[in-house]
Amino acid sequence: MNKKKLEAIAATYLRAGIAAVIALYLAGVTDPKALATAGIAAIAGAGPLLKALDPKASEFGRGAK
């Protein structure tokens, strides 16, 4: 894998984690441990994994060249 693909993968995982933390915070959860857990769960969760398995995702994963 080249550097651009690794950066795309990292950005996708980071976006998923940030989105989860923001959503939880906007729902009223302010406990730092809960927010950190949500971020970690999103990074290790299904969203980025599904993108990696998507044959139509051209950045990386099964559909990438």
Side-chain angles (χ1 to χ4, degrees):
M1 256 189 232
N2 62 22
K3 186 177 178 181
K4 273 194 162 185
K5 284 188 182 184
L6 290 175
E7 287 174 355
I9 292 169
T12 298
Y13 279 81
L14 188 60
R15 275 193 302 271
I18 290 172
V21 171
I22 290 172
L24 200 58
Y25 183 79
L26 290 175
V29 177
T30 58
D31 177 30
K33 184 177 179 184
L35 294 173
T37 303
I40 292 168
I43 289 171
L49 177 62
L50 290 174
K51 182 167 183 166
L53 295 175
D54 183 8
K56 295 179 184 174
S58 61
E59 301 92 1
F60 61 89
R62 294 180 64 141
K65 293 183 179 181

